[in-house]
Amino acid sequence: QVQLVQSGAEVKKPGASVKVSCKASGYTFTGYYMHWVRQAPGQGLEWMGWINPDSGDTNYAQKFQGWVIMTRDTSISTAYLALNRLRSDNTAVYYCARGLWGSNAFDIWGQGTMVTVSS
Amino acid sequence: DIVMTQSPDSLAVSLGERATINCKSSQSVLYSSNNKNYLAWYHQKPGQPPKLLIYWASTRASGVPDRFSGSGSGTDFTLTISSLQAEDVAVYYCQQYYSTPYTFGQGTKLEIK
């Protein structure tokens, strides 16, 4: 079935970097945009940006420009979210989510990856 | 950025009763060239990712029960659950995908009275 499976939880120190993966299955990976959404503990949802897996083009929310990088590897149907120069307030669950074809509502979500930043 | 504001912040409804959640956008999310509202609704249960319920403001996503319905246009939208079931307890979010950055409402916590 259609699903997105993300990599496991991470614990990092301030200033470190982390790379979260999102493996797609059950559909044509290059046919749908992939979005990343952040949720801090007990908080709401925050869109970070999208990547077009076909072209590699990206669109980042201004807030995240300069410290996140979205990439993909089409050979293994996997999208990646790299976070640099981590701070404690970056502690959150990071979700990948597929953009519904023809719109950018998010119809399939990964299970989420908890990234904890702590010294 | 388009600001999405939901009301109420929390809601308690008896089983079998109607639940209504409102969402207002700071600018219209109706795209005139195709007459579609770029508005979605999700719910999120504890420990789970969000689940898409409604897109294009009123189209139910695949597999979503017909007790869920969406309405509204322009800047004002409503999600209605016609007969609340125990499994509907969750936090509900609206989201605009009209323009980036795509933005969500702050969430409405729905509980059983």
Side-chain angles (χ1 to χ4, degrees), chain B residues 23-92:
Chain B
C23 175
K24 188 174 184 67
S25 57
S26 61
Q27 63 189 77
S28 176
V29 298
L30 174 63
Y31 194 40
S32 56
S33 66
N34 60 9
N35 200 37
K36 288 190 173 188
N37 288 283
Y38 285 57
L39 189 286
W41 288 96
Y42 305 83
H43 72 191
Q44 184 179 30
K45 300 179 182 181
Q48 296 185 20
K51 177 185 175 182
L52 178 65
L53 300 172
I54 301 285
Y55 59 100
W56 299 134
S58 61
T59 302
R60 266 188 305 275
S62 176
V64 174
D66 61 7
R67 64 180 181 273
F68 291 92
S69 63
S71 63
S73 186
T75 61
D76 292 280
F77 300 92
T78 300
L79 175 72
T80 301
I81 307 171
S82 61
S83 176
L84 190 71
Q85 305 299 302
E87 62 265 31
D88 300 334
V89 169
V91 178
Y92 288 76

Side-chain angles (χ1 to χ4, degrees), chain A residues 39 47 95 102-104 106 110, chain B residues 42 44 49-50 56 95 101-102 104:
Chain A
Q39 187 169 39
W47 179 80
Y95 293 102
S103 84
N104 270 320
F106 308 150
Chain B
Y42 305 83
Q44 184 179 30
W56 299 134
Q95 178 224 358
Y102 302 140
F104 293 87

Side-chain angles (χ1 to χ4, degrees), chain A residues 14-100:
Chain A
S17 299
V18 69
K19 193 171 187 179
V20 177
S21 68
C22 171
K23 183 170 177 60
S25 61
Y27 73 97
T28 302
F29 177 65
T30 53
Y32 299 79
Y33 281 28
M34 190 71 78
H35 300 259
W36 290 90
V37 175
R38 180 172 81 168
Q39 187 169 39
Q43 301 301 307
L45 303 167
E46 187 172 27
W47 179 80
M48 301 177 71
W50 57 248
I51 182 167
N52 178 340
D54 189 27
S55 65
D57 289 344
T58 55
N59 183 339
Y60 302 132
Q62 186 171 15
K63 175 177 182 177
F64 298 99
Q65 286 180 358
W67 77 277
V68 306
I69 301 175
M70 298 176 189
T71 57
R72 92 292 189 217
D73 184 339
T74 58
S75 69
I76 55 172
S77 299
T78 299
Y80 299 95
L81 175 70
L83 309 173
N84 304 307
R85 304 185 306 278
L86 289 165
R87 306 189 315 234
S88 58
D89 62 354
N90 300 145
T91 293
V93 176
Y94 292 84
Y95 293 102
C96 58
R98 189 182 80 165
L100 181 64

